[in-house]
Amino acid sequence: MSSILASIKAALTGATAANGDRADAGPGAGHGTGPDATPRDAAVDGSASGHGAGGTPLIVSAGGAGRRHSPSSVEELELELLLEALFQCHGYDFRGYDRAVVTRKVQALRAQLGLATLSALQSRILHDDESYNALLRALYVNPALMFDNALEVSMLRLSLGAGLHGVALPRVWLADCAGAQQAWTLAILLDQEQLAPRTEIHATVASDAMLAEARQASLPMARLSELQANYVRSGGIGKLIDYFDVSADGLHAVLKPHLNSRITWAQYNLVTDASFNEFQMILGQRALPDFGPALRKRVLQLFDDSLAPFGTLALDRPLDDHDPLARHYKPLLAHQSWYKRIA
């Protein structure tokens, strides 16, 4: 961490010195760096000052090659500072997430809030709780609709029937749960497999605000026809509303108590927290696509530490054959990224 901050400080110092009279110079202006930048303490192109021909400042990459300033490098620097601020002030670490995914989500929120720069967004999230929670939601897994992925539901039906019936008190972990509707989908499928009375669903989310939203969520009746269509498309029989109690005004519905009581919601950070239980099934396929390589490796190890023998692990893509963890698993079906633990 100190090396990243030192790199940023060095880059900003060099940029300010080189651009002191420029109209657009100032804190954070000039020549930014990306995450691979190093302090400008070595000669570049024969210059001990860190300048190229004609006095044009150069950014030194980790590979030792200089590159001239481009507007995108300022945005890269702003993004680094934003993620660092989120981590240092609030404890949520998105620095290991896929940078292209993070950039897209953060820029969308910046535009939605009507802010000109990511620096303005950083200032907002440091001083305004509503904006901070909006950023967390933007960076988190996209919310799911009930039965919105027919292939996922089919794999769940197969896995629940084959993997949980022989277990006395099975536990299923929805890691970085994509909202209440993902948990409701699982609860309904467990009920259809006669597993609901003895299966515990552990649904974890990143923040307390998301936790409160999930616990208080209800089904808008205005979307019932859309969700019923999802349900039928994924192989459901009968009426989805039979699993819910409708409010007196007919506008909302909540999952029936005997199903809702099987869901335990908790705040949990996949990036920093350790294994907290042993599970017969771990569903992490919705969270993993956003992770960069190092973080993905860390989370896969966490899942491996948390999965019981012969348990089921749902991923977003197949395990790399060269990954040491791959020898612990075999695919449930060919060309699918759902696995049974064998070692």
Side-chain angles (χ1 to χ4, degrees), residues 60-79:
V60 183
S61 72
R67 62 177 175 84
R68 298 188 184 279
H69 165 73
S70 65
S72 64
S73 65
V74 173
E75 294 175 358
E76 291 168 8
L77 175 57
E78 288 182 306
L79 184 61

Side-chain angles (χ1 to χ4, degrees), residues 52-132:
T56 302
L58 292 171
I59 304 302
V60 183
S61 72
R67 62 177 175 84
R68 298 188 184 279
H69 165 73
S70 65
S72 64
S73 65
V74 173
E75 294 175 358
E76 291 168 8
L77 175 57
E78 288 182 306
L79 184 61
E80 292 297 320
L81 293 172
L82 173 64
L83 297 181
E84 187 66 31
L86 186 60
F87 174 64
Q88 294 289 347
C89 296
H90 296 290
Y92 294 99
D93 192 353
F94 290 90
R95 297 170 300 175
Y97 279 53
D98 182 271
R99 199 46 56 93
V101 173
V102 170
T103 299
R104 173 174 51 79
K105 291 183 175 183
V106 168
Q107 290 287 12
L109 178 64
R110 176 199 59 75
Q112 178 185 331
L113 295 177
L115 301 174
T117 64
L118 295 184
S119 295
L121 178 60
Q122 176 186 319
S123 177
R124 182 77 70 88
I125 66 113
L126 289 176
H127 301 287
D128 178 56
D129 286 344
E130 185 176 343
S131 298
Y132 151 63

Side-chain angles (χ1 to χ4, degrees), residues 88-254:
Q88 294 289 347
C89 296
H90 296 290
Y92 294 99
D93 192 353
F94 290 90
R95 297 170 300 175
Y97 279 53
D98 182 271
R99 199 46 56 93
V101 173
V102 170
T103 299
R104 173 174 51 79
K105 291 183 175 183
V106 168
Q107 290 287 12
L109 178 64
R110 176 199 59 75
Q112 178 185 331
L113 295 177
L115 301 174
T117 64
L118 295 184
S119 295
L121 178 60
Q122 176 186 319
S123 177
R124 182 77 70 88
I125 66 113
L126 289 176
H127 301 287
D128 178 56
D129 286 344
E130 185 176 343
S131 298
Y132 151 63
N133 284 317
L135 177 60
L136 277 187
R137 280 191 290 270
L139 290 173
Y140 196 61
V141 181
N142 292 329
L145 289 178
M146 295 183 67
F147 298 93
D148 61 356
N149 187 318
L151 176 60
E152 181 179 308
V153 172
S154 296
M155 293 301 299
L156 270 172
R157 292 185 193 277
L158 171 66
S159 304
L160 294 173
L164 300 186
H165 274 295
V167 182
L169 295 172
R171 289 182 293 270
V172 181
W173 180 15
L174 287 171
D176 270 6
C177 181
Q181 293 200 33
Q182 185 188 16
W184 297 345
T185 297
L186 177 57
I188 291 169
L189 291 175
L190 285 167
D191 189 63
Q192 293 175 352
E193 292 290 332
Q194 288 79 51
L195 286 164
R198 58 189 179 87
T199 303
E200 298 176 4
I201 300 172
H202 292 260
T204 59
V205 294
S207 73
D208 290 334
M210 295 177 195
L211 186 62
E213 289 176 5
R215 285 172 169 167
Q216 297 166 10
S218 61
L219 176 68
M221 291 297 289
R223 304 200 70 172
L224 180 60
S225 60
E226 174 189 3
L227 299 177
Q228 175 67 26
N230 287 350
Y231 176 62
V232 172
R233 214 167 18 244
S234 63
I237 298 173
K239 295 181 179 179
L240 184 60
I241 196 61
D242 291 342
Y243 295 94
F244 291 84
D245 291 327
V246 182
S247 62
D249 59 11
L251 298 178
H252 298 275
V254 294

